[in-house]
Amino acid sequence: MSEYSCEILVAGIVQGIGYRPFVFNLASDLDVKGHVMNLGDAGVKIVAQGEKETLLRFIELLKTNKPKLSTYESFQIEWLKEPTEFTKFEIAQSLSSGKSTGFSYLPPDITICDKCVEELESNEPRRKDYPFNACVDCGPRYTVIEKLPYDRPNTVMREFPFCEHCKGDYENSKDRRFHAQTTCCTDCGPTYTLYSSNREMISFSNNKEMVQFISKEIEKGKLVAIKGIGGTHIACSTIKDDVLLKLREAKGKRKFKPFAIMAKDIPSMEEFAELNSEEKKLITSFRKPIVLLKKNSDYYLSEWVSPGLHNIGVMLPYAGIHYMVLREMSEPTIVMTSANPSNYPMFIDNAEIMEKLSYVDYFLLHDRKIYQRNDDTVIRINKLAKRFSHKFIRRSRGWVPEPLISHIDIKNNTILGIGAEMHLIPSLMKGTRIIPTQHIGTVTLLETYEYMIEAIKHLLNLYNSKIDSVAYDMHPQYMTSTSIDEILNLFDVEEHTAYQHHEAHIASVALEQKIHPEEEVIGIALDGTGYGRDGSIWGGEIFCGPITNLERVGQLEQFNLPGGDLATKYPLRSLLSLLSHNFRREGIVDITADLVNTLPRGKEGVEFVLNQLEKDVFPVGFKTTSTGRFLDAVSVFLGICGEQTYEGEPAIRLEGYSLSGKTSGDPIGLEIPYKETKDGHEIQISQVFPQLIDLGKNFSKERLAYSTQKALGSVISEVVNSIAEQRNISKILVSGGVCLNSIITDEIVKAVEIGGRKVFTNEKISPGDGGISIGQVYLEALNKFN
């Protein structure tokens, strides 16, 4: 029988997940000859020779039996006129690029697999108690690669040449480490070393002894810096108040911001938290994110892990060192919080770690370079109506650099979306793919700005791209905006556009949910801060129209922000402003008499703010429609939180307070009215406070807190339903950081969808500012390249 040859070009996630070994073994099983090779960001090229029937079977199995983490963006087959003569099938040397109809990208860093964990417990001398065990199915990817194609010389693992045994594993087609680029062992791979607080090396005869020592020290109340896959954590006990308070003081006076913890297994979590089926599925996935879980009635951990909150961030071990440490502990949980101060890049250099973390008792550091920082992903599962909704608080490790798929194609153009300022995650759009970077943080420091630039350069290098246009936030004072000329010059770009913050929020949902660009939608943007088109601070907006021409048709009642950012730090300032809409000075003083100590200057501070309000000295930039500031005001009014010590704290604790008490029972009669104005629908949030004063005589603070948030969701949906009815609109898009609030968003979804309309929210990216860049690149694509 005559033989045929074909060339197959595959794009998608086909590098870094054992795809070439899969192709090799499949070809060997079917007696197909030829080769397979990586083509940089163009994917994988397969040349196959064999009988026609065999090749058709080979192609079918390539499609149906591919590795579990691989995805195909394109699968192109070309039958060759002249069969190429091969004597065997082999994995050929990679090329840096090649022709392709698709786009290829790496998988994210993958949690250590069960087989590699089992080897930690085995008697195999090269694998037992070796924290860097990895194979074709697991291990770091994004944090170790410098450029495509994904081959060992292009990763930091080139610094660790194979020993004879690992080389044999790597070349053995029947071994699960066949062409696994992070393959290593105790004889040739990276190593951990323990240092004391004065930077002296502490010697042990083996890894097990070292880990046993450090585990017991953690249980005694010591602080340990542990360098991991994408950065450094501080580990300590979850049950000792004194060490947690010491850590809070050391990390820049971190008063109340919650710490993430790591638990040994699901049964350990269930001793202090509630888990539903969706949370279990997510927390045990290969991504291993931090998931916010509701504390249960048996919660026994220190209140200083997540003070004042109803939930706690928990993750399972995802690296070999995590399993080893928890295995040796009698306590089933440890704090694992990022070692860097807020808004500062993660520490990855050993010298910097020891210099900046001088307050810890021990340093457990390895000698493998972290090429790209990558913080832990944080997710919350909200129940919206009857469905589970994934809400990213931080999208990073386990997801980066997976792309979002757009329904429009900008062909060979590349767009950079920078984002806003807080929770920054820039994005690169190329063709139909949008690739967000890892979580950068809040860009107010030079170090974080440089980290942002480094992350952008890395994506450009990985995908061999040059930026054609830049999209950014129109806020005139964000560092990402004031530095735009420098950014344009750095990347040799001329085309750029500034986009309104909340319109970009809505556009991010439209992109994610593939809403047609010309379809009229209603957009609800609820957050803390965003520069409005009129120069004021927006944050409670309702839009209407096609995504590129949104019209602002509703908003929260505008109020003054005494002191600007000081009103964010001290929410009593916002409360005084809102109370001034309905009460005279004497009444406001009486109402807030028990709250004055939440301001640094107490009564004097209150008098100063009231003087400002009476004189109405506020320029447009100190006026706001912010949902976040309104919720902050409710929080301080009810005595829940009077000072913001971390971003969003008063509103977050308001929700937590509501959900931690008894909120059931008949409605208490709290309603928020709205009125028609020349600018559209105005939701009169100041009317809440007279009602809270009256209702407070008969109802608990938990009921008042819950009912206020529910009433806000209700009035927003009432306005939206009215607009939708008038304009015959069926799709409602909701975004912004306040959408993490389950009470408000659930009420909106229920009240809107009961009328047959559909509510769309962010599910694959954060509804907060971490998703802004997605909306920016989408708007730029529609306006410039569609």
Side-chain angles (χ1 to χ4, degrees):
M1 296 180 68
S2 59
E3 291 200 331
Y4 292 77
S5 292
C6 66
E7 181 180 278
I8 305 167
L9 296 174
V10 185
I13 299 183
V14 288
Q15 294 190 39
I17 39 78
Y19 190 77
R20 287 178 299 170
F22 155 69
V23 174
F24 178 92
N25 285 320
L26 179 61
S28 300
D29 290 344
L30 296 177
D31 197 26
V32 171
K33 301 176 180 63
H35 65 240
V36 56
M37 66 170 66
N38 280 338
L39 297 176
D41 69 342
V44 167
K45 176 183 176 181
I46 304 166
V47 177
Q49 174 190 318
E51 296 179 0
K52 184 72 173 283
E53 218 172 276
T54 301
L55 290 183
L56 290 174
R57 177 64 176 159
F58 176 65
I59 291 168
E60 179 63 25
L61 291 174
L62 284 175
K63 293 179 179 179
T64 58
N65 286 14
K66 66 183 186 296
K68 62 181 179 179
L69 295 181
S70 68
T71 61
Y72 291 157
E73 301 295 346
S74 67
F75 193 100
Q76 181 186 21
I77 305 166
E78 180 183 352
W79 292 94
L80 304 177
K81 293 181 180 179
E82 297 294 329
T84 308
E85 292 296 325
F86 294 101
T87 58
K88 61 180 180 178
F89 197 93
E90 60 184 358
I91 296 178
Q93 183 174 350
S94 300
L95 298 178
S96 60
S97 63
K99 66 176 183 176
S100 175
T101 59
F103 182 70
S104 285
Y105 38 87
L106 281 175
D109 297 313
I110 304 167
T111 187
I112 184 172
C113 70
D114 291 342
K115 290 181 180 179
C116 284
V117 170
E118 288 172 6
E119 286 177 333
L120 295 175
E121 308 280 352
S122 72
N123 292 320
E124 210 283 298
R126 293 169 48 238
R127 308 290 180 201
K128 181 182 180 181
D129 296 317
Y130 184 58
F132 297 94
N133 274 351
C135 67
V136 76
D137 294 323
C138 70
R141 299 295 190 268
Y142 185 72
T143 50
V144 299
I145 188 170
E146 297 179 6
K147 62 181 180 179
L148 289 171
Y150 180 64
D151 291 318
R152 196 179 182 95
N154 293 335
T155 75
V156 299
M157 289 302 293
R158 67 174 176 273
E159 298 175 7
F160 303 95
F162 287 134
C163 65
E164 182 180 347
H165 293 294
C166 282
K167 191 172 189 294
D169 295 339
Y170 183 84
E171 294 176 347
N172 180 3
S173 64
K174 302 304 179 184
D175 195 286
R176 76 175 197 281
R177 292 183 170 89
F178 180 45
H179 276 261
Q181 306 306 324
T182 53
T183 293
C184 58
C185 73
T186 55
D187 295 334
C188 63
T191 57
Y192 267 101
T193 304
L194 185 66
Y195 299 88
S196 66
S197 58
N198 58 11
R199 309 186 190 185
E200 293 181 353
M201 187 173 70
I202 304 174
S203 298
F204 298 90
S205 60
N206 54 54
N207 284 337
K208 187 178 181 67
E209 282 187 10
M210 177 179 66
V211 172
Q212 283 177 332
F213 173 82
I214 209 66
S215 298
K216 299 311 175 190
E217 290 298 293
I218 290 172
E219 290 187 314
K220 290 177 184 177
K222 303 297 186 182
L223 293 173
V224 182
I226 302 178
K227 186 179 177 183
I229 290 176
T232 304
H233 291 102
I234 302 293
C236 72
S237 169
T238 59
I239 60 176
K240 296 184 183 300
D241 290 352
D242 54 348
V243 70
L244 288 163
L245 289 170
K246 177 184 175 182
L247 179 57
R248 290 193 173 280
E249 180 67 23
K251 286 199 70 176
K253 299 186 184 301
R254 180 171 169 159
K255 280 188 179 180
F256 301 116
K257 190 174 182 180
F259 293 136
I261 71 169
M262 184 173 282
K264 189 174 295 186
D265 48 34
I266 293 294
S268 299
M269 292 182 192
E270 291 175 329
E271 292 179 10
F272 59 83
E274 298 176 6
L275 287 88
N276 61 41
S277 60
E278 193 69 14
E279 289 163 341
K280 285 183 181 179
K281 179 180 176 183
L282 182 60
I283 213 164
T284 57
S285 71
F286 73 89
R287 304 178 190 274
K288 297 285 169 58
I290 297 169
V291 179
L292 296 190
L293 304 176
K294 185 177 181 181
K295 298 173 182 176
N296 65 21
S297 57
D298 296 322
Y299 181 84
Y300 68 90
L301 307 180
S302 169
E303 177 58 25
W304 290 105
V305 173
S306 59
L309 300 178
H310 71 293
N311 54 18
I312 182 170
V314 192
M315 58 181 158
L316 285 171
Y318 60 84
I321 193 66
H322 302 154
Y323 281 92
M324 293 172 67
V325 169
L326 281 165
R327 178 187 65 190
E328 302 298 335
M329 293 181 65
S330 57
E331 296 176 19
T333 61
I334 52 173
V335 166
M336 287 289 274
T337 186
S338 299
N340 51 293
S342 296
N343 305 328
Y344 197 93
M346 294 189 79
F347 299 139
I348 57 175
D349 176 76
N350 287 0
E352 181 185 35
I353 293 168
M354 288 193 277
E355 178 188 349
K356 296 290 178 61
L357 303 178
S358 58
Y359 59 85
V360 305
D361 299 294
Y362 299 99
F363 302 93
L364 185 56
L365 308 178
H366 62 69
D367 56 357
R368 183 175 68 195
K369 181 181 179 182
I370 297 174
Y371 190 71
Q372 282 294 304
R373 297 172 172 90
N374 205 1
D375 212 339
D376 296 317
T377 291
V378 184
I379 300 183
R380 174 178 176 175
I381 303 292
N382 283 352
K383 193 78 174 292
L384 302 182
K386 295 182 179 180
R387 62 181 182 267
F388 289 119
S389 177
H390 288 213
K391 295 299 173 209
F392 281 90
I393 296 168
R394 184 169 69 207
R395 183 187 188 272
S396 208
R397 178 191 55 77
W399 273 264
V400 177
E402 285 186 4
L404 279 75
I405 312 302
S406 172
H407 49 303
I408 67 166
D409 190 350
I410 61 171
K411 308 299 182 184
N412 295 322
N413 296 296
T414 300
I415 300 171
L416 168 66
I418 297 177
E421 181 177 75
M422 301 182 75
H423 311 293
L424 195 79
I425 296 179
S427 294
L428 209 64
M429 183 173 187
K430 183 176 181 180
T432 60
R433 307 295 177 259
I434 300 177
I435 310 108
T437 71
Q438 66 271 46
H439 170 78
I440 303 298
T442 297
V443 183
T444 54
L445 302 172
L446 179 60
E447 292 88 346
T448 316
Y449 174 81
E450 291 174 344
Y451 175 29
M452 174 193 77
I453 296 297
E454 174 191 324
I456 294 168
K457 285 182 176 179
H458 183 55
L459 281 188
L460 291 170
N461 181 52
L462 277 183
Y463 301 116
N464 192 27
S465 301
K466 182 186 180 302
I467 299 168
D468 297 293
S469 187
V470 176
Y472 60 103
D473 196 280
M474 65 165 48
H475 197 299
Q477 295 178 352
Y478 284 170
M479 184 181 282
T480 53
S481 302
T482 58
S483 304
I484 190 61
D485 289 339
E486 178 183 320
I487 293 169
L488 294 171
N489 182 63
L490 180 64
F491 293 110
D492 190 23
V493 189
E494 292 185 5
E495 195 70 41
H496 62 285
T497 311
Y499 288 99
Q500 202 282 319
H501 188 90
H502 302 95
E503 292 171 14
H505 268 311
I506 302 306
S508 74
V509 184
L511 178 280
E512 188 179 328
Q513 302 293 346
K514 296 181 171 55
I515 307 295
H516 193 281
E518 296 179 6
E519 182 176 0
E520 281 212 343
V521 298
I522 293 175
I524 305 170
L526 308 174
D527 68 0
T529 299
Y531 189 75
R533 291 192 175 275
D534 60 0
S536 69
I537 303 303
W538 291 2
E541 318 307 317
I542 300 174
F543 299 98
C544 187
I547 206 66
T548 56
N549 190 27
L550 291 173
E551 173 192 2
R552 188 184 186 213
V553 295
Q555 65 279 325
L556 298 194
E557 176 185 6
Q558 190 179 78
F559 58 99
N560 294 317
L561 278 178
D565 288 343
L566 281 175
T568 303
K569 174 73 172 173
Y570 301 107
L572 180 55
R573 287 174 168 266
S574 294
L575 175 60
L576 292 170
S577 177
L578 284 160
L579 288 173
S580 71
H581 291 213
N582 294 287
F583 298 95
R584 295 182 183 275
R585 186 186 188 110
E586 297 77 13
I588 297 173
V589 171
D590 289 341
I591 293 167
T592 60
D594 294 335
L595 305 174
V596 295
N597 290 333
T598 64
L599 293 183
R601 293 163 56 196
K603 290 182 180 180
E604 185 183 349
V606 170
E607 293 295 332
F608 178 78
V609 171
L610 291 176
N611 286 338
Q612 286 186 309
L613 290 166
E614 285 181 348
K615 295 175 183 177
D616 195 15
V617 296
F618 303 97
V620 66
F622 285 72
K623 297 180 182 295
T624 190
T625 54
S626 167
T627 309
R629 299 297 78 78
F630 164 66
L631 295 173
D632 292 351
V634 176
S635 185
V636 69
F637 178 85
L638 294 174
I640 297 168
C641 182
E643 179 187 358
Q644 184 192 86
T645 66
Y646 59 89
E647 200 263 324
E649 180 184 2
I652 292 170
R653 291 178 65 179
L654 175 70
E655 182 196 14
Y657 190 80
S658 306
L659 296 175
S660 62
K662 294 182 179 180
T663 58
S664 59
D666 295 331
I668 67 174
L670 193 152
E671 295 181 350
I672 303 176
Y674 72 91
K675 67 178 182 180
E676 299 280 354
T677 71
K678 60 181 178 62
D679 297 320
H681 300 74
E682 181 183 276
I683 296 172
Q684 299 189 285
I685 50 175
S686 67
Q687 301 303 313
V688 162
F689 298 100
Q691 296 179 70
L692 288 175
I693 292 170
D694 185 51
L695 293 167
K697 301 167 187 175
N698 300 308
F699 296 99
S700 69
K701 288 184 178 180
E702 290 94 339
R703 290 286 298 276
L704 296 176
Y706 182 84
S707 297
T708 301
Q709 293 163 89
K710 188 176 176 65
L712 180 62
S714 179
V715 69
I716 290 171
S717 60
E718 189 178 347
V719 171
V720 165
N721 283 332
S722 174
I723 297 169
E725 187 71 29
Q726 293 170 14
R727 304 200 185 194
N728 194 28
I729 295 174
S730 61
K731 294 180 180 177
I732 317 300
L733 282 51
V734 185
S735 190
V738 172
C739 294
L740 294 168
N741 183 298
S742 61
I743 302 170
I744 296 170
T745 311
D746 180 56
E747 182 63 24
I748 291 172
V749 172
K750 285 178 178 176
V752 170
E753 292 192 344
I754 198 170
R757 301 176 183 90
K758 179 67 175 174
V759 176
F760 298 88
T761 63
N762 295 109
E763 301 281 342
K764 298 178 181 178
I765 57 172
S766 173
D769 285 5
I772 281 279
S773 66
I774 300 293
Q776 290 172 344
V777 295
Y778 184 45
L779 288 170
E780 186 76 347
L782 292 174
N783 288 323
K784 303 285 180 66
F785 301 104
N786 190 30

